[in-house]
Amino acid sequence: MKSSIDLRFLCLVALPLAGAAANSSAHYTSPPVYPSPNMTAAGGWSAAMAKAEAFVEKLTLDEKVLMVTGATGPCTGNIMPVKRLGFNGLCLQDGPTAIRLADYASVFPAGVTVASSWDRDWFYKRGYAMAEEFKGKGSHILLGPVAGPLGRSALGGRNWEGFSPDPYLTGIAMEETIVGIQDTGVQATPKHFIGNEQETYRNPSIGEDGTVTMAVSANIDDRAMHELYLWPFADSVKAGAASMMCSYNRVNGSYGCQNSKTLNGLLKTELGFNGFVMSDWMATHAGIATIESGLDMDMPGNLAFNGVTPGSYFGGNLTSSIKNGSIPIHRLNDMIHRIMTPYFHLGQDKDFPSIDPSSAPLIFFPPWTYNSSDFYMEEPSSRDVRGNHGALIRKMAAESTVLLKNTKGALPLSKVKNIAVFGSDAADISGGLYNIGLGPRTEEGTLAVGGGSGTGRFSYIISPIEALKAKALKDNFMLQYITNNTLAATDISSIYPAPEVCLVFLNTYAGESFDRISFESDFNADAVVWSVAANCSNTMVVVHSAGINTMPWADHPNITAIVHAHLPGQESGNSLVDVLWGAVNPSGKLPYTLARKASDYNAPIVNVTAGVDLDTQIDFTESLLIDYRHFDAANKSVLYEFGHGLSYTTFSLTGLKASPASRKALPALAPGTKIVPGGLPSLWDTVYTASCTVANTGKVAGATVPQLYVTLHGAPEGTPPRQLRGFSKVKNLAPGASKEVKFELRRRDLSFWDVEAQQWRIPEGKITLSLGASSRDIKETVDIEPVKAATSYSYV
């Protein structure tokens, strides 16, 4: 591969470090991009935009300011009504897994869980079902889905809210989820834009000794920005996302919500985003600077979470800035056009439900005084919006479960008469059904969702032990258990008679505001596994984890099966029992890599020592090489690779072939100059179609996921050896049956970001397509040459 210097985005400059904790050899800056561009009607929003423009013409200046400034109210975020114009305001609610501030609502499988299904249908159905509940509770805007963090660091505290460290898989999940959400008439909010890859130092702070800690700066090179972190947000914009949430962290030195390069340049210009940018809560650190840089809505509108500190960076300060000419009125008008156009486009001006009054007392932040009559809240209260979603969640979680190991067909279980269960994760939750969890969790039963604003309030949860008891009563088998980890790790002699099957349950919690510090499971659970495996020759491990773990016991001869269920939501136990007994044939695939040891992972969390003024930096020196890309480039062996997952049947993948979409010569650079939502339209054109045949060679019906990877041989140095660029969930394939699968390869899928040309480029010469059951289980390859090698190209 040719060498590359990719600094065009960065303006790399050598600066002195701000204290020993800066942890960086250089600082990056984002070149300014002004002014903030006006929205267009591209993407089918022309009728809605006309309504928005007519609405804005009727507003007074004070009303205009209220339209862009968050207010205290009954929802996580609130925009005040303008009653004289029939506008009932906007209700913004967390989060990506459930409507958090609500009763009688469902808690769905987390993002990382449904990502393990590798199923476009589940991505869509999950988004649609969640949004139905948001709408039923009167919420206009769902604060999700999550593409930031992408998952650069395996210890990131909020990785579980998103989907996968692979941008292609996350991009497909984002697109389908957003379409599902907005098909209900609810607005989606992809977040956190951009580089929000750790919780540690995500916000600035002042210590008791006066030490100032700046929010961490994610320093990202141009190729990594486009090919990793921006990639799924491009899918989000193309899907028609109504809004976008900017992040707490700094990006190349500038705060995410006042970074003109990322907001004005990348998002609104390069990607053609026509929706509005809202701040994460308290991520606004200025007024004029943020507005000029592309921020359209300040949330929650106050200067502090305490509900007491007066004032706002927007509000009255924005009114003054308009009057003195510091901010032009056309910029404020555009901010409201961007807010109101998706409102009209999704029909939220017609018969949208009122806010459920029962949500108001559940607000996480300190009590704020507001007049409830100012908001559109009407009875009935405590509306039950769950519908049939329990059954959907059960099936979704089961089909997202990943079978990592299954020695000699140990699973599915059949005709077993004596089962023993070990580990606190099997037990019912003892600490209540709602855990905001802004810090490590206590040992309190099974884990079905992570913590922070992305969590949910359970109306019920089926624990593993509850579901296993029900199964034991039905099938008349003996069920013994020890759910105290301390006891299970040291003395299991109370289990008698000796069980035929030992199920060990372990979990790993993660949540907002903190990052994990270890790859080990919580509460000494690894010791429980070792203890049980030493005494039981048929030990099966069930994992409920918000993140990546090491599994030092995985190769133990007495461990016959490993089942990874991630965070399955409210039907946790039932979905697991469905898999263990074969009612559902597992078909999940890992959306990340499980390494053999912790030191094999790169991209650590940056955590520095206090005591000096901190200007905390993270140089993303690994660039494109995260997760499986890193392991492949380093040629490291892994425990279980990206895309791995077993079934109770077997499959063959054969007959890989590829053909161009057109006989016309394919230009290397993406043609065209007109930008639509998602960027250049030609980037989304199908330029090649690959196909293969999937056959069920086993004895039971099942589902699998053929995966297509590309190798860009002519791309610059640092390009990953293989990158996922296609997958398809083949379902309900009977024994002996086969099906043809097609992969449509878009121009973007075969391109790299050319930092000199500032465009996407298909490299000259050979590109290898690899068909696999995982990133390392490659069955067949075929070479294509979309752009003939003719002249040399310099990347210097």
Side-chain angles (χ1 to χ4, degrees), residues 72 282 302-310 365-369:
T72 57
M282 302 297 173
N302 301 75
L303 290 175
F305 276 131
N306 59 26
V308 176
T309 304
F365 308 122
W368 289 344
T369 302

Side-chain angles (χ1 to χ4, degrees), residues 305-655:
F305 276 131
N306 59 26
V308 176
T309 304
S312 170
Y313 286 115
F314 281 30
N317 285 318
L318 177 53
T319 302
S320 298
S321 296
I322 294 292
K323 288 181 177 179
N324 65 28
S326 300
I327 295 291
I329 190 64
H330 65 77
R331 172 68 184 113
L332 178 57
N333 289 343
D334 179 67
M335 293 160 70
I336 309 171
H337 293 158
R338 289 175 174 274
I339 293 168
M340 292 303 294
T341 296
Y343 172 85
F344 287 117
H345 179 69
L346 295 174
Q348 293 185 334
D349 56 322
K350 298 177 181 178
D351 301 321
F352 199 87
S354 64
I355 299 169
D356 187 330
S358 65
S359 295
L362 301 176
I363 292 177
F364 168 69
F365 308 122
W368 289 344
T369 302
Y370 65 91
N371 188 346
S372 60
S373 64
D374 288 340
F375 294 90
Y376 182 45
M377 287 192 295
E378 292 184 350
E379 298 293 335
S381 184
S382 295
R383 302 166 199 160
D384 190 337
V385 295
R386 295 171 295 179
N388 66 344
H389 294 162
L392 179 140
I393 289 167
R394 177 175 180 168
K395 193 169 190 293
M396 185 191 313
E399 294 187 9
S400 299
T401 300
V402 185
L403 181 61
L404 295 176
K405 179 179 181 179
N406 194 24
T407 304
K408 297 181 180 179
L411 290 175
L413 298 174
S414 176
K415 299 179 181 179
V416 64
K417 288 299 181 182
N418 186 354
I419 295 177
V421 174
F422 303 89
S424 60
D425 179 68
D428 290 329
I429 293 176
S430 60
L433 296 185
Y434 177 71
N435 179 17
I436 190 67
L438 298 177
R441 179 176 181 256
T442 58
E443 188 173 1
E444 55 186 47
T446 197
L447 181 66
V449 69
S453 62
T455 194
R457 180 179 294 273
F458 289 104
S459 57
Y460 71 88
I461 181 171
I462 304 298
S463 67
I465 200 68
E466 183 178 355
L468 287 166
K469 285 179 179 180
K471 183 67 174 175
L473 288 172
K474 180 181 177 182
D475 291 0
N476 196 31
F477 61 80
M478 183 177 183
L479 184 69
Q480 308 179 69
Y481 49 91
I482 298 175
T483 58
N484 179 299
N485 275 14
T486 301
L487 181 61
T490 56
D491 182 6
I492 59 173
S493 60
S494 63
I495 300 296
Y496 181 84
E500 300 166 63
V501 176
C502 297
L503 296 176
V504 182
F505 287 80
L506 51 83
N507 65 43
T508 308
Y509 180 72
E512 185 176 1
S513 82
F514 71 102
D515 296 300
R516 295 166 56 213
I517 59 174
S518 170
F519 287 95
E520 295 179 1
S521 297
D522 292 345
F523 315 122
N524 204 27
D526 286 341
V528 177
V529 178
W530 289 115
S531 171
V532 175
N535 293 279
C536 180
S537 62
N538 192 18
T539 298
M540 303 179 182
V541 180
V542 178
V543 182
H544 289 125
S545 178
I548 292 174
N549 298 104
T550 49
M551 299 179 178
W553 34 259
D555 295 329
H556 194 295
N558 285 349
I559 295 179
T560 57
I562 304 174
V563 178
H564 207 316
H566 290 101
L567 303 174
Q570 66 191 39
E571 287 284 331
S572 175
N574 285 336
S575 62
L576 178 66
V577 166
D578 289 343
V579 169
L580 293 180
W581 270 267
V584 173
N585 189 345
S587 59
K589 304 287 184 180
L590 281 178
Y592 51 72
T593 301
L594 288 173
R596 289 200 169 272
K597 56 184 185 296
S599 60
D600 287 342
Y601 288 101
N602 63 345
I605 297 294
V606 170
N607 192 355
V608 293
T609 303
V612 295
D613 286 356
L614 301 179
D615 183 12
T616 313
Q617 308 284 318
I618 312 176
D619 290 350
F620 287 25
T621 53
E622 74 288 342
S623 190
L624 301 172
L625 302 180
I626 65 172
D627 197 69
Y628 72 91
R629 301 157 178 247
H630 154 66
F631 289 99
D632 289 350
N635 197 26
K636 285 182 180 287
S637 68
V638 301
L639 182 61
Y640 297 114
E641 72 274 17
F642 175 82
H644 168 76
L646 304 174
S647 169
Y648 296 151
T649 189
T650 56
F651 299 92
S652 66
L653 304 177
T654 58

